[in-house]
Amino acid sequence: MEFITLFITILFVSCIQIAIPFLVKRTVVFGVTIPYEQAKHVKVIHYKKLYAILTTVIALASSIGFIIWNQVTPMDETMLVLTGTLIPFVILLTGLTLYFYFHYKMTKLKKSKRWFEKIKQVRYADLAVRSQDEMLASYVHFIPSIITVTIIVLSVNLYDQLPGQIPVHWGPDGVADAFSEKSWLSVLNLPIVLIILQSMFFGTNLFTKKSGIKINPGNVTSSKMRQLRLRKYSSWFLFITNIAMTMLFSILQLNLLYENLFSESLLIFLPFGFLVFTLVGALALAIKVGRVDSDLEGKLITDEPSKVEGVDDDNYWKGGLFYFNRKDPSIFVEKRFGIGWTLNFANPIGYFVMIVPIILILILSFSI
Amino acid sequence: MIIIDAESDIPIYVQLRTQIMESIVRGDLSTGDTLPSVRGLAGDLGINMHTVNKSYHELESKGIIEIVPKKGAVITANKDKKISKKRLDALSKELRPLVVEGLINGMNKEEIHELITGVISEVREE
């Protein structure tokens, strides 16, 4: 089971990492903005292909190595988990290194070609676009909180009957492998973490909704559709993840309260199911969003080369990865290399939404 | 649809104000519609919230929108209603220096009429 879990994760990380340049907006290549008509430029295509080939080689080598190593000399559990978790990071790091190399190459190419010299760069907004926005309402993230509150009440009522040792950490097989002295904090740890996460999801949805809908005047139809899809499907993904997480945490907490309530096979399968479920969700999101306004969309209408393009915000994107724009009140903006959202690091609200919950959870896990 | 040229000599808040009014003339927006929130529109355009705020307040003082707490900026301008005497006087005052400038530059009455007709069809996209 552990081997399969790790292998699926490696496979998933590899596929996404290799595909990123073809899933992101075609007007932003390795974090560098180019005019719409240049998306099929020979050099641009060449860099993307080279990136994909190199990443594939590394990903294949490490996955095959992982399988063979496990076949020849079966690793013990700790070793297996350690290498299995390390490999995705190796692949991510390879992708990142190659990204920076091609980011540098693209910056040089853009400078030498002077692509934007004859094009007027403007800012574009559609005043009616919000009527087409299909993001879920933010409060839906507090619906699963009813379960969380129920579980807290239940735990408080059963506190006196619980044993002196409380499980606080579970291995990938769903079996508790670390225990703590019984206290209010250790008994209520799981539901409290759950409620913090649910609030974080609420905040993420709320502030994504309030963020700008960026449309490129160089190709209005595609770029608008991509933004709307990203908003809609990422908010669905967030909600489905919330429900799955609530189920996982609730079952673990119920198992803590009532011993032998669930069969061992369910507890083993649970985290695995959760992982597969979220990976499938993430994949669906990547495909739904990634096939619009990217290389996968295919058609590139350049019959009348547009005289206007969006303002390239490259100077606000540090290294093409980190967005830092004091003027823009958006808290979340679409990632330039990857599918999903990234923070506007110039906006303190963003830090509050993302970092405070993580700090709270860390404090909580260190205090028990 | 709003297009802002940051390199233009015309300030951004003026461009924004004019284009919102043009959207109403074109029929993209009509009486009773709500404009995006200040934060939302500033986010769409990647510009400062103060700039959008300034445009909205100017539109409000011209009687084109009304800023209703909780609901946002609602369009109150009505193309079918007759212009008030007060607004007409104000417009006349604002137009005066432009007409005078045209006359100084050798335009005659017909040419000025033509200029205005041209602007009208351009805005209406006729």
Side-chain angles (χ1 to χ4, degrees):
Chain A
M1 201 55 136
E2 273 158 358
F3 182 75
I4 299 172
T5 308
L6 293 167
F7 191 69
I8 288 176
T9 313
I10 293 170
L11 204 67
F12 178 81
V13 170
S14 307
C15 288
I16 293 287
Q17 196 61 42
I18 294 163
I20 287 177
F22 309 97
L23 293 173
V24 294
K25 286 164 92 93
R26 50 190 156 190
T27 45
V28 182
V29 184
F30 296 108
V32 178
T33 312
I34 59 167
Y36 184 59
E37 301 86 63
Q38 303 298 340
K40 290 268 189 281
H41 190 271
V42 194
K43 277 246 166 106
V44 170
I45 297 289
H46 175 66
Y47 289 157
K48 286 187 177 183
K49 277 190 182 152
L50 206 58
Y51 167 92
I53 292 168
L54 290 171
T55 320
T56 310
V57 169
I58 300 288
L60 271 180
S62 44
S63 327
I64 293 171
F66 184 55
I67 297 173
I68 292 176
W69 188 7
N70 192 50
Q71 291 291 325
V72 177
T73 48
M75 291 175 257
D76 66 53
E77 218 168 90
T78 336
M79 197 59 193
L80 185 77
V81 172
L82 200 70
T83 43
T85 340
L86 213 66
I87 290 173
F89 282 105
V90 170
I91 296 165
L92 286 175
L93 213 66
T94 311
L96 200 65
T97 313
L98 287 169
Y99 163 84
F100 277 119
Y101 174 69
F102 288 115
H103 176 75
Y104 166 75
K105 284 287 219 185
M106 276 306 300
T107 313
K108 258 178 63 178
L109 183 70
K110 181 180 173 178
K111 238 182 216 156
S112 69
K113 295 281 181 193
R114 297 178 182 176
W115 275 328
F116 280 104
E117 225 159 58
K118 285 198 185 78
I119 300 171
K120 195 180 178 77
Q121 288 182 293
V122 296
R123 300 188 174 277
Y124 185 99
D126 183 340
L127 292 175
V129 74
R130 278 180 179 73
S131 61
Q132 299 164 41
D133 189 21
E134 294 180 83
M135 278 189 76
L136 291 174
S138 304
Y139 71 81
V140 298
H141 286 284
F142 283 130
I143 297 173
S145 303
I146 300 168
I147 298 176
T148 321
V149 171
T150 314
I151 295 244
I152 289 178
V153 172
L154 209 62
S155 310
V156 170
N157 283 337
L158 288 168
Y159 183 79
D160 291 337
Q161 300 163 34
L162 292 175
Q165 294 286 311
I166 300 296
V168 288
H169 184 267
W170 291 262
D173 52 0
V175 174
D177 55 13
F179 296 85
S180 167
E181 288 284 308
K182 176 167 134 181
S183 71
W184 285 108
L185 215 54
S186 61
V187 170
L188 294 176
N189 180 40
L190 275 176
I192 290 174
V193 168
L194 188 56
I195 239 168
I196 294 172
L197 288 170
Q198 283 163 344
S199 313
M200 182 176 164
F201 283 12
F202 167 80
T204 309
N205 199 80
L206 183 75
F207 287 109
T208 306
K209 212 167 188 170
K210 287 190 175 194
S211 294
I213 301 178
K214 313 277 188 195
I215 299 170
N216 181 4
N219 64 11
V220 173
T221 322
S222 289
S223 60
K224 190 203 288 184
M225 190 157 135
R226 186 180 170 105
Q227 276 279 288
L228 290 174
R229 280 197 177 199
L230 178 65
R231 289 166 75 93
K232 176 180 171 183
Y233 292 115
S234 68
S235 88
W236 283 16
F237 176 62
L238 205 61
F239 186 53
I240 291 171
T241 310
N242 186 345
I243 291 176
M245 218 174 52
T246 307
M247 276 164 59
L248 177 73
F249 276 51
S250 304
I251 291 175
L252 287 177
Q253 182 72 5
L254 286 175
N255 190 56
L256 182 153
L257 298 178
Y258 307 98
E259 245 175 295
N260 305 324
L261 182 66
F262 302 101
S263 67
E264 199 161 303
S265 54
L266 175 76
L267 291 174
I268 291 177
F269 178 75
L270 207 62
F272 179 72
F274 178 76
L275 177 83
V276 171
F277 191 76
T278 36
L279 288 189
V280 168
L283 203 64
L285 176 70
I287 291 167
K288 277 280 183 195
V289 176
R291 71 165 191 228
V292 182
D293 200 20
S294 69
D295 287 328
L296 300 186
E297 191 170 279
K299 62 174 187 283
L300 186 74
I301 304 147
T302 48
D303 299 346
E304 17 172 344
S306 58
K307 286 281 182 301
V308 289
E309 280 282 338
V311 174
D312 89 63
D313 282 333
D314 285 6
N315 51 332
Y316 295 122
W317 285 86
K318 309 298 168 206
L321 288 178
F322 301 102
Y323 187 59
F324 196 95
N325 185 353
R326 270 184 229 279
K327 281 192 227 151
D328 188 350
S330 301
I331 289 142
F332 292 101
V333 287
E334 184 176 359
K335 263 188 200 171
R336 282 196 157 188
F337 198 68
I339 298 280
W341 302 97
T342 181
L343 279 179
N344 176 4
F345 287 92
N347 199 321
I349 300 175
Y351 290 91
F352 189 76
V353 176
M354 301 311 288
I355 293 166
V356 169
I358 294 170
I359 291 174
L360 277 178
I361 291 171
L362 282 179
I363 291 173
L364 210 62
S365 59
F366 279 116
S367 56
I368 54 167
Chain B
M1 184 184 77
I2 300 287
I3 293 176
I4 301 289
D5 179 4
E7 269 147 51
S8 159
D9 294 333
I10 306 166
I12 292 176
Y13 80 92
V14 176
Q15 292 183 46
L16 185 57
R17 183 193 73 192
T18 312
Q19 290 195 37
I20 290 173
M21 291 196 286
E22 286 186 14
S23 301
I24 300 172
V25 171
R26 269 201 308 272
D28 295 351
L29 296 168
S30 37
T31 316
D33 284 356
T34 321
L35 292 178
S37 68
V38 171
R39 173 184 285 277
L41 187 53
D44 292 358
L45 293 165
I47 59 174
N48 207 303
M49 288 208 279
H50 298 302
T51 313
V52 178
N53 209 13
K54 199 166 172 186
S55 303
Y56 278 20
H57 275 111
E58 286 212 349
L59 288 170
E60 191 180 32
S61 67
K62 283 177 189 293
I64 291 163
I65 62 168
E66 199 180 323
I67 297 168
V68 187
K70 293 255 159 135
K71 207 171 167 226
V74 183
I75 296 168
T76 48
N78 192 341
K79 278 180 282 177
D80 305 325
K81 227 173 63 190
K82 244 182 117 46
I83 190 167
S84 70
K85 177 84 177 50
K86 212 177 114 199
R87 280 302 319 150
L88 192 64
D89 288 346
L91 278 184
S92 163
K93 228 184 213 165
E94 279 178 55
L95 198 58
R96 195 184 175 107
L98 297 176
V99 173
V100 170
E101 203 179 330
L103 293 170
I104 287 176
N105 283 295
M107 286 175 88
N108 60 31
K109 207 170 157 183
E110 281 70 41
E111 281 168 330
I112 290 177
H113 282 175
E114 234 169 78
L115 181 73
I116 291 179
T117 321
V119 170
I120 293 174
S121 14
E122 211 184 289
V123 171
R124 285 187 176 158
E125 288 176 349
E126 284 166 351

